[in-house]
Amino acid sequence: MARVVDPGRRWRGAQVAETAGISVQQVRNYVDLGVLPPVERTPAGYRVFTDEHVRALAVVRRMAEGHGWARTREVMVAVHQGDLAAALAALDAGHAELDRERADIRRVLGAFETVVASPAAVLPAPRRGARIGEVADLVGVRTSQLRLWEQRGLVRPVRERGTGYRVYDAAEVRAAQVVALLRRGAYPFDIVAAVLDEMRTTGSAQRVRAELAKREQELHRRSLRRLRASATLHDYLRHLDPAPPG
């Protein structure tokens, strides 16, 4: 990537820092890290900043809002090293993360709706605490599966005093029913765990749906922030190289 830069105005470090509301030391740190372009020095050793540094600092701030500091640093260092491929790969990874999060939310919601719609999910639970064999019969699985689910933290029976036997209250019988239903639907354990966490935390179908919708809306906002950040970076790249590939 060819760099075509008109240095324009000369700036002091304090002036550059003031444009972003940060300290002069932070500006120096950004230069040392490669987040801002290299600086020239006067014969007396003072750093000389230009319009390019002010422009780059504005990009850093917008990028951090959308992508976070770690990825912003990775991208901007790659840009100033002339490694456009590495910068774009880092951006792609960030957008892919959001895509995975969005897919996970929808899978959790789909799994939850499967639970709500299934008659098996509302089987009557024993009034008293049930032992593992009773729960296995009720849910239609082997006791070994219940033990595995317990190891994974999906069901949480208590131990009976004196005997040490596992005892499942109504909530844990319900949890076992949910796990069995979702596993039969080939849902992975992480999605099963997410559904159970939502059910235990919110306590009602409407609140689970509302919480998942809230998370998806926040994901939309994060996606828009990343889009704005990427647009700002694109303008900066065009400034550095008026005729980039593609």
Side-chain angles (χ1 to χ4, degrees):
M1 181 173 66
R3 291 171 59 85
V4 180
V5 177
D6 176 10
R9 173 184 170 184
R10 301 289 178 171
W11 296 68
R12 290 183 290 107
Q15 294 173 312
V16 175
E18 187 176 358
T19 66
I22 61 177
S23 69
V24 176
Q25 186 58 52
Q26 280 181 285
V27 172
R28 293 170 181 163
N29 291 343
Y30 288 173
V31 172
D32 292 341
L33 290 170
V35 173
L36 295 182
V39 296
E40 296 180 357
R41 289 182 179 267
T42 67
Y46 293 108
R47 293 176 175 86
V48 178
F49 295 91
T50 68
D51 288 346
E52 181 183 3
H53 296 93
V54 175
R55 186 178 291 108
L57 184 55
V59 175
V60 169
R61 295 187 68 197
R62 180 54 62 89
M63 284 286 294
E65 290 173 1
H67 292 274
W69 167 246
R71 180 157 286 115
T72 296
R73 174 179 173 178
E74 182 181 3
V75 169
M76 296 303 288
V77 168
V79 166
H80 294 135
Q81 289 177 344
D83 192 347
L84 180 60
L88 294 177
L91 288 173
D92 289 345
H95 290 293
E97 286 175 3
L98 291 185
D99 185 59
R100 287 192 296 271
E101 288 184 46
R102 185 173 285 105
D104 284 346
I105 289 173
R106 290 175 179 172
R107 290 189 71 189
V108 170
L109 181 59
F112 175 74
E113 295 298 349
T114 298
V115 170
V116 171
S118 173
V122 293
L123 288 173
R127 291 182 178 275
R128 59 178 177 80
R131 291 185 176 175
I132 191 169
E134 296 175 273
V135 177
D137 290 341
L138 180 64
V139 176
V141 299
R142 295 179 178 179
T143 56
S144 59
Q145 286 181 280
L146 287 172
R147 293 190 183 97
L148 173 63
W149 297 346
E150 181 183 350
Q151 291 173 4
R152 289 181 172 271
L154 301 175
V155 293
R156 305 166 185 173
V158 297
R159 294 283 184 165
E160 189 177 63
R161 287 186 178 181
T163 66
Y165 291 143
R166 293 173 174 84
V167 177
Y168 296 73
D169 62 15
E172 292 310 309
V173 172
R174 163 76 165 167
Q177 293 168 346
V178 170
V179 176
L181 175 67
L182 295 182
R183 290 298 291 162
R184 291 187 190 112
Y187 285 98
F189 281 116
D190 60 332
I191 298 299
V192 176
V195 171
L196 287 172
D197 286 345
E198 292 295 340
M199 294 176 66
R200 285 182 169 124
T201 301
T202 61
S204 73
Q206 286 185 334
R207 290 182 64 183
V208 169
R209 294 187 184 102
E211 177 61 25
L212 292 174
K214 178 181 176 182
R215 293 183 191 179
E216 191 163 29
Q217 286 299 315
E218 174 56 27
L219 201 59
H220 293 339
R221 288 189 286 270
R222 288 169 58 197
S223 185
L224 287 172
R225 288 196 296 269
R226 291 194 180 183
L227 183 62
R228 288 192 292 268
S230 296
T232 302
L233 178 65
H234 178 261
D235 290 343
Y236 182 64
L237 292 175
R238 293 189 65 181
H239 165 73
L240 295 180
D241 184 357

